[in-house]
Amino acid sequence: MASSTALWSFALVVGLLTLTPGLDTALILRTAALGRRTRAWGVVLGIQTGTLTWGALTSLGVTALLTASHLAYEILRWAGAAYLLWMAGRMIVETFRRGGAGASAEVEVGGADTLSGGWRQGTLTNLLNPKVGVFYVAVLPQFIPAEAPHFAMGLALTSVHVVLGMIWSTVLIASATALGTWLRGARARRVLDRVTGTVIGAFAVRLAVGD
């Protein structure tokens, strides 16, 4: 397989994966819809940092240990599930609070509109999901030509995934921003947080009970 063919083929696979609604989509849309565009971009950069990390580790063969070691996988799986459940629980609980305490907690859960805060949240969400690592272990090596430098080609393929993710995230943030005035109303915000919290919680449960 030629390198150019591998890049286009991998782009098709991860492009379809990127367009599939999931945890990343929910987190980006929720953050942008609350009017925190800077934080939303931080979340995007964090998610792509995690993706690039998984790709680099896979190219080095490190993530193969994740699939080989049941204990390592279980530790990461339960840590990820706990983090997502905490995030989902806080989102949902705060929608039932009223007054100053609820408002203060909302800032804490939603996070201040900072790039660094969003980056930390996006990076943690991605790196604590072992299924991303397993996906890279299973898929990435198949697109690396035998004659190509393994690490360099692995990073090139991962970069394709990152670029596609950035493009799609731009569409998501623009869409959420366009509806921002309506979505930032008190009632709409409660619905948004409950729906997003439920989606994230469902991912956490699926991660916890998954094989």
Side-chain angles (χ1 to χ4, degrees):
M1 181 190 300
S3 296
S4 58
T5 303
L7 288 170
W8 282 110
S9 300
F10 188 72
L12 177 61
V13 172
V14 295
L16 293 173
L17 179 65
T18 300
L19 292 175
T20 303
L23 175 61
D24 294 348
T25 301
L27 189 57
I28 293 169
L29 282 175
R30 187 257 181 181
T31 306
L34 291 178
R36 301 186 177 102
R37 281 177 58 90
T38 301
R39 185 180 179 88
W41 277 113
V43 170
V44 171
L45 292 175
I47 290 170
Q48 302 314 323
T49 297
T51 299
L52 191 60
T53 301
W54 282 119
L57 292 176
T58 301
S59 301
L60 290 171
V62 176
T63 48
L65 299 175
L66 184 64
T67 56
S69 171
H70 181 70
L71 178 60
Y73 180 85
E74 287 297 299
I75 290 174
L76 188 58
R77 181 166 71 93
W78 283 105
Y83 174 70
L84 293 178
L85 280 175
W86 173 83
M87 194 188 330
R90 292 298 300 273
M91 283 183 188
I92 295 173
V93 168
E94 296 308 328
T95 64
F96 294 98
R97 293 190 177 182
R98 297 292 185 270
S104 299
E106 180 187 356
V107 172
E108 182 181 342
V109 174
D113 191 18
T114 63
L115 196 69
S116 60
W119 180 84
R120 286 193 298 271
Q121 186 177 37
T123 302
L124 276 175
T125 300
N126 189 282
L127 290 181
L128 288 177
N129 185 357
K131 294 186 180 295
V132 180
V134 172
F135 168 80
Y136 263 86
V137 170
V139 175
L140 189 66
Q142 299 181 36
F143 290 90
I144 300 179
E147 69 280 2
H150 198 278
F151 182 70
M153 189 64 190
L155 285 184
L157 291 168
T158 305
S159 297
V160 170
H161 193 180
V162 169
V163 170
L164 292 176
M166 292 293 291
I167 293 173
W168 181 235
S169 295
T170 301
V171 174
L172 293 177
I173 292 176
S175 301
T177 301
L179 297 172
T181 302
W182 177 76
L183 289 173
R184 288 194 292 274
R187 183 175 181 180
R189 175 176 288 192
R190 287 195 298 271
V191 172
L192 176 65
D193 275 1
R194 288 173 187 174
V195 170
T196 306
T198 301
V199 170
I200 293 176
F203 273 98
V205 172
R206 190 171 71 176
L207 182 60
V209 302
D211 296 329

